[in-house]
Amino acid sequence: MTDTSHESVPSRHRRRFPDISSRAYEHPADRSALVALRRLSGFDTVFKALSGLLPERSLRLLFLSDSVRVSDAQFAHLNDMLRDACYILDLKKVPPMYVTQNPQPNAMCIGLDEPIIVVTTGLVELLDEEEMRAVVGHEVGHALSGHAVYRTILLFLTNLALKVAWIPLGNVAIMAIVAALREWFRKSELSADRAGLLVGQDLRSSMRGLMKIAGGNHLHEMNVDAFLAQADEYERSGDLRDSVLKILNVLPRTHPFTTVRAAELKKWSESRDFQRIMDGHYPKRDEDKDTSVTDSFRESAAHYADTVRTSKDPLMKLVGDIAGGAGDLGGKLRDKFTGAGGGSAGGGGANKGGTSASGATDGSEGTWRRPDPEEGSGPGSGS
């Protein structure tokens, strides 16, 4: 581990959150996905077996030997950001952080025993100081939540699945666990985005960073409101066929789509929960042991129910109709799929813009990585 002191932090004043529990910023769906993951048949057995097999030492040695470790002597400005983020979120030990040569904007937090943070040169060169601060806070949030353990296992299992794909049925069990991990992973990213906002305490910087990940270093050509409007259009557009394609498109991904992340973060920044944290009212770590799993699951279930109720997506609206006992559901279902009865714009084609479910896959495991369907399977591919 690096020096655990929090000296030489940036001068701009930010609120600190002593003893804050990760529960304060975790997305409800993050918690529910973890519950589902731990209840997945065979997961505990696989987890215990893999804990001794994962090449964690190899990864640490790889970054130590072929990357630049952040310190007061190397990438000092990143070292200041890292210590600042740990100070704000009250993370007792400052994780080692490395910069690795890779033009692809990417960052990750991995490790079973102790987390390590890795950022690529592409990310460092793309973002300004405040945007980068949100990313560092994002990764420190992963470390505080304990996400690094499951992210490391996902990286290992994804690579393993490629190696055993030729074995009859051997790939099925692994891919079932990978699918569950990816569902949790997508939700954990929303939690970490919130942690990044708590560290940076500047919503505009968080938004700019996400916009740059989507459109490159061309902020003069982009607009936050228009970017968020894309997320709204994505959710509400199309018919049931488009809703199904959305599901198929997101299944191979480890991260929510960038516009969706931006919209989710803005919504949380305007919530009462965020304001309470900023006012100093939040769950503490010493209360974690008394937290009811049942209550957490109930809260997550309520979140999903509210998502269905308020969603503008055609499929979610139909689910809401079914739950509400709406009449003529058979006719509604037929009309939604066929685009009949004055269906939404674009309902005549389920495959818009030439994008297919199979062509929109994203094997990226990196927190701030662009979609890359041809991602390699090496340890540098992200987590």
Side-chain angles (χ1 to χ4, degrees), residues 6 16-20 84-93 140 144 285:
H6 298 290
R16 185 173 180 246
F17 308 103
D19 198 38
I20 188 172
D84 187 37
C86 292
Y87 177 76
I88 289 174
L89 294 180
D90 200 16
L91 188 65
K92 302 304 181 183
K93 291 184 178 180
V140 170
L144 181 58
R285 278 170 227 168

Side-chain angles (χ1 to χ4, degrees), residues 16 21 31 43 48 50 53 57 88 140 197 199 214 221 249 278 280 298 306-307 311 321 347 376:
R16 185 173 180 246
S21 167
R31 291 194 292 272
F43 178 77
K48 291 175 182 177
L50 288 177
L53 297 175
R57 287 180 178 269
I88 289 174
V140 170
L197 180 58
V199 168
E221 298 284 356
N249 285 343
M278 296 304 297
R298 186 179 297 115
D306 184 65
T307 298
S311 177
D321 287 345

Side-chain angles (χ1 to χ4, degrees), residues 239-241 331-344 347-349:
D239 54 23
L240 283 185
R241 292 167 296 183
K332 278 194 173 187
L333 186 62
R334 181 184 63 252
D335 291 345
K336 289 286 187 179
F337 268 108
T338 60
S344 60

